[in-house]
């Protein structure tokens, strides 16, 4: 099993193992492409027939579909919900049951395969702390002015939004931080202190499913137009 971070345009083609050979043995069109698994998928409309595509499964739970319904179709990196709608499926908004893959020659809904393993982990709260609340470990970002790393605590939605926006803003400065009154003159945390990231499992955890969240209603925002938030919002509605 692989634990992945956010998947961006700069994805590295580093081979990871998401599923065993036995889990994928009877599945059609399986292809390992660096950090994801590709399989042939489709969605059936009673009016238009089968729309076929290529489903990409990433270790952080992301799902992308490149549509191949017609030779001229250029729809790429679609969410399963968007692919379901694009196919003309009459009973849309149930993509887990309507989008299928071919297993042993039969069309099988995604919900009955192993392909949603990482999606379900990221959206159903496997990263909850012992009291049942969604948990996010502290993260670090570098100031564009002094190049010092600053800690971002992600306990509330407001704190998560600040971190989310600053990840996208490469010119943020220490003085911009709303919660910590810091300037570029303040010392950076020592390396021995940085190892403590607030994980509920272990104080010195380097990243696990208890403290690394791959997407939830606390750290994703419906009013944000970035691809990460847009995909999460669409999948939740689906």
């Amino acid at each position: 099993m692989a634990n992945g971070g956010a998947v961006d345009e700069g994805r590295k083609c580093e081979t990871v193992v998401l599923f065993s050979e036995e889990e994928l043995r009877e599945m059609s069109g399986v292809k390992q492409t660096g950090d994801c698994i590709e399989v042939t998928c489709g969605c059936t409309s009673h009016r238009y027939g089968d729309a076929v595509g290529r489903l990409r499964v990433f270790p952080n739970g992301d799902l992308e579909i490149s549509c191949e319904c017609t030779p001229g179709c250029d729809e790429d990196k679609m969410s399963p919900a968007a692919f379901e709608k694009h196919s003309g499926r009459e009973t849309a908004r149930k993509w887990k049951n309507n989008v299928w893959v071919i297993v042993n020659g039969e069309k099988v809904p995604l919900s009955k395969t192993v392909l949603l393993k990482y999606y379900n982990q990221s959206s159903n709260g496997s990263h909850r702390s012992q009291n049942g609340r969604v948990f996010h470990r502290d993260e670090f970002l570098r100031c564009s002015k002094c190049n010092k790393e600053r800690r971002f605590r992600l306990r509330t939605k407001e704190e998560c939004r600040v971190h989310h926006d600053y990840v996208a803003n490469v010119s943020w400065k220490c003085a911009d931080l709303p919660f910590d009154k810091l300037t570029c003159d303040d010392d950076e945390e020592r390396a021995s202190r940085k190892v403590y990231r607030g994980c509920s499992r272990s104080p010195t955890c380097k990243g696990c499913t208890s403290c690394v969240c791959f997407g939830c209603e606390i750290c994703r925002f419906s009013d944000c137009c970035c691809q990460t938030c847009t995909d999460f919002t669409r999948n939740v509605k689906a």
Side-chain angles (χ1 to χ4, degrees), residues 217-234:
E217 293 182 355
I218 294 178
C219 63
R220 300 290 183 262
F221 310 95
S222 59
D223 63 338
C224 177
C225 60
C226 78
Q227 194 64 49
T228 301
C229 290
T230 299
D231 288 345
F232 176 80
T233 302
R234 285 175 179 171

Side-chain angles (χ1 to χ4, degrees), residues 62-224:
D62 282 355
L63 303 172
E64 292 180 355
I65 296 178
S66 298
C67 186
E68 300 175 349
C69 61
T70 62
C73 183
D74 59 357
E75 293 289 347
D76 189 20
K77 296 184 179 180
M78 306 172 72
S79 68
F83 175 69
E84 177 193 47
K85 183 177 180 180
H86 175 72
S87 73
R89 174 76 187 192
E90 292 78 5
T91 55
R93 301 181 68 82
K94 296 181 180 179
W95 63 265
K96 292 183 181 181
N97 294 323
N98 291 336
V99 177
W100 44 259
V101 295
I102 298 176
V103 181
N104 203 17
E106 301 289 335
K107 296 176 183 176
V108 178
L110 287 180
S111 60
K112 295 184 179 180
T113 71
V114 298
L115 297 175
L116 296 185
K117 179 198 302 185
Y118 300 96
Y119 174 85
N120 289 336
Q121 286 177 356
S122 67
S123 60
N124 290 344
S126 63
H127 45 270
R128 293 178 185 271
S129 60
Q130 293 180 350
N131 62 9
R133 297 181 61 188
V134 175
F135 190 86
H136 304 82
R137 70 173 185 169
D138 299 343
E139 300 292 348
F140 290 89
L141 293 177
R142 289 191 179 277
C143 170
S144 64
K145 185 177 180 180
C146 67
N147 201 39
K148 294 175 182 175
E149 279 193 328
R150 299 305 187 188
R151 181 185 295 268
F152 285 75
R153 293 176 176 81
L154 310 180
R155 303 296 185 269
T156 67
K157 194 170 185 69
E158 291 75 18
E159 291 175 336
C160 286
R161 185 57 186 261
V162 170
H163 174 260
H164 175 82
D165 291 347
Y166 282 19
V167 167
N169 178 14
V170 296
S171 61
W172 74 272
K173 302 179 294 297
C174 293
D176 297 333
L177 294 172
F179 303 116
D180 296 314
K181 300 302 180 182
L182 290 173
T183 69
C184 292
D185 294 329
D186 292 308
D187 292 336
E188 183 177 304
E189 285 190 26
R190 294 178 180 177
S192 59
R193 177 71 184 86
K194 287 182 181 179
V195 299
Y196 296 96
R197 303 285 283 271
C199 176
S200 59
R201 185 187 66 83
S202 170
T204 57
C205 175
K206 295 181 179 180
C208 69
T209 55
S210 295
C211 67
V212 180
C213 176
F214 300 133
C216 70
E217 293 182 355
I218 294 178
C219 63
R220 300 290 183 262
F221 310 95
S222 59
D223 63 338
C224 177

Side-chain angles (χ1 to χ4, degrees), residues 27-93:
M27 206 169 289
S28 295
V30 176
K31 183 180 179 182
Q32 172 82 50
T33 58
D35 61 351
C36 72
I37 290 289
E38 283 191 13
V39 299
T40 299
C41 70
C43 190
T44 302
S45 163
H46 297 300
R47 179 180 298 177
Y48 303 110
D50 292 347
V52 179
R54 295 287 297 173
L55 170 67
R56 290 186 287 271
V57 181
F58 294 94
N60 71 339
D62 282 355
L63 303 172
E64 292 180 355
I65 296 178
S66 298
C67 186
E68 300 175 349
C69 61
T70 62
C73 183
D74 59 357
E75 293 289 347
D76 189 20
K77 296 184 179 180
M78 306 172 72
S79 68
F83 175 69
E84 177 193 47
K85 183 177 180 180
H86 175 72
S87 73
R89 174 76 187 192
E90 292 78 5
T91 55
R93 301 181 68 82

